[in-house]
Protein backbone atom coordinates (compact mmCIF):
# COMPACT_ATOMS: atom_id res chain seq x y z
CA UNK A 1 0.00 0.00 0.00
CA UNK A 2 2.85 2.43 0.83
CA UNK A 3 4.35 1.73 -2.60
CA UNK A 4 1.23 3.20 -4.21
CA UNK A 5 0.64 6.14 -1.85
CA UNK A 6 4.11 7.69 -2.16
CA UNK A 7 4.04 7.95 -6.02
CA UNK A 8 0.49 9.32 -5.88
CA UNK A 9 1.57 12.01 -3.41
CA UNK A 10 4.61 12.85 -5.57
CA UNK A 11 2.44 13.27 -8.66
CA UNK A 12 -0.07 15.42 -6.74
CA UNK A 13 2.77 17.63 -5.48
CA UNK A 14 4.19 17.97 -9.00
CA UNK A 15 0.84 19.18 -10.32
CA UNK A 16 0.50 21.54 -7.38
CA UNK A 17 3.87 23.12 -8.09
CA UNK A 18 3.08 23.58 -11.81
CA UNK A 19 5.59 21.01 -13.02
CA UNK A 20 3.07 19.66 -15.49
CA UNK A 21 0.88 22.68 -16.19
CA UNK A 22 0.83 24.49 -19.51
CA UNK A 23 2.59 27.81 -19.92
CA UNK A 24 0.20 30.71 -19.38
CA UNK A 25 -0.46 32.96 -22.37
CA UNK A 26 0.63 36.55 -22.04
CA UNK A 27 -0.61 39.65 -23.80
CA UNK A 28 0.35 43.29 -24.08
CA UNK A 29 -1.77 46.45 -24.23
CA UNK A 30 -0.63 48.94 -26.91
CA UNK A 31 -1.86 52.49 -26.31
CA UNK A 32 -2.69 54.68 -29.31
CA UNK A 33 -0.47 57.78 -29.40
CA UNK A 34 -1.21 59.20 -32.84
CA UNK A 35 -1.53 62.90 -33.59
CA UNK A 36 -5.01 62.65 -35.17
CA UNK A 37 -7.89 60.21 -35.48
CA UNK A 38 -7.47 59.86 -39.27
CA UNK A 39 -7.48 56.43 -40.89
CA UNK A 40 -3.79 56.76 -41.71
CA UNK A 41 -2.88 57.46 -38.07
CA UNK A 42 -5.27 54.88 -36.56
CA UNK A 43 -3.84 52.16 -38.82
CA UNK A 44 -0.15 53.13 -38.36
CA UNK A 45 1.72 50.58 -36.23
CA UNK A 46 4.17 53.28 -35.08
CA UNK A 47 1.33 55.04 -33.24
CA UNK A 48 0.87 52.13 -30.78
CA UNK A 49 3.22 51.68 -27.83
CA UNK A 50 3.27 48.90 -25.22
CA UNK A 51 2.04 49.99 -21.78
CA UNK A 52 2.00 48.30 -18.39
CA UNK A 53 -1.79 48.60 -18.09
CA UNK A 54 -4.93 49.52 -19.99
CA UNK A 55 -6.08 52.95 -18.70
CA UNK A 56 -8.93 53.31 -21.22
CA UNK A 57 -12.66 53.72 -20.73
CA UNK A 58 -14.94 52.20 -23.37
CA UNK A 59 -16.46 55.34 -24.85
CA UNK A 60 -15.82 56.98 -28.26
CA UNK A 61 -12.29 56.96 -29.71
CA UNK A 62 -9.71 54.21 -30.19
CA UNK A 63 -7.44 54.16 -27.15
CA UNK A 64 -5.46 51.02 -27.88
CA UNK A 65 -5.42 47.32 -28.58
CA UNK A 66 -4.45 44.22 -26.61
CA UNK A 67 -2.43 41.69 -28.61
CA UNK A 68 -1.24 38.25 -27.54
CA UNK A 69 2.49 38.72 -28.14
CA UNK A 70 4.31 39.89 -25.02
CA UNK A 71 6.39 43.00 -25.70
CA UNK A 72 8.56 45.28 -23.59
CA UNK A 73 7.06 48.56 -22.38
CA UNK A 74 7.63 51.27 -24.98
CA UNK A 75 7.88 48.94 -27.98
CA UNK A 76 5.55 48.68 -30.97
CA UNK A 77 3.30 45.66 -31.65
CA UNK A 78 4.31 42.60 -33.66
CA UNK A 79 3.60 43.42 -37.32
CA UNK A 80 1.57 40.30 -38.13
CA UNK A 81 -0.70 40.70 -35.10
CA UNK A 82 -1.19 44.42 -35.68
CA UNK A 83 -1.99 43.89 -39.36
CA UNK A 84 -4.70 41.40 -38.37
CA UNK A 85 -6.35 44.09 -36.16
CA UNK A 86 -5.69 47.14 -38.33
CA UNK A 87 -9.02 47.16 -40.16
CA UNK A 88 -10.92 46.58 -36.90
CA UNK A 89 -9.17 49.58 -35.34
CA UNK A 90 -10.43 51.85 -38.11
CA UNK A 91 -13.90 50.27 -37.99
CA UNK A 92 -13.96 50.91 -34.24
CA UNK A 93 -13.03 54.57 -34.73
CA UNK A 94 -15.70 55.03 -37.40
CA UNK A 95 -18.43 53.38 -35.30
CA UNK A 96 -17.24 54.83 -31.97
CA UNK A 97 -17.45 51.31 -30.51
CA UNK A 98 -14.96 48.44 -30.27
CA UNK A 99 -15.16 46.09 -33.28
CA UNK A 100 -13.86 43.25 -31.09
CA UNK A 101 -12.79 42.50 -27.53
CA UNK A 102 -9.13 43.40 -28.13
CA UNK A 103 -9.86 47.07 -28.85
CA UNK A 104 -10.28 49.67 -26.10
CA UNK A 105 -11.95 53.05 -26.48
CA UNK A 106 -11.75 56.39 -24.63
CA UNK A 107 -13.63 59.71 -24.60
Amino acid sequence: MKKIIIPVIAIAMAFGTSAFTAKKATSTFFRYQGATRSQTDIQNISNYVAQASNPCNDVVNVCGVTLSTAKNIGSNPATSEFNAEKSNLWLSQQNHAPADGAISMEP
Side-chain angles (χ1 to χ4, degrees), residues 12-68:
M13 288 176 62
F15 277 109
T17 58
S18 300
F20 295 110
T21 57
K23 188 175 181 179
K24 292 182 180 178
T26 58
S27 61
T28 305
F29 176 72
F30 296 89
R31 184 160 177 91
Y32 177 71
Q33 298 184 336
T36 71
R37 300 290 179 174
S38 69
Q39 182 174 4
T40 303
D41 280 349
I42 292 287
Q43 293 184 317
N44 184 342
I45 194 170
S46 298
N47 288 333
Y48 294 84
V49 178
Q51 302 265 304
S53 64
N54 177 347
C56 305
N57 299 318
D58 292 335
V59 184
V60 179
N61 294 302
V62 168
C63 174
V65 62
T66 301
L67 301 173
S68 61

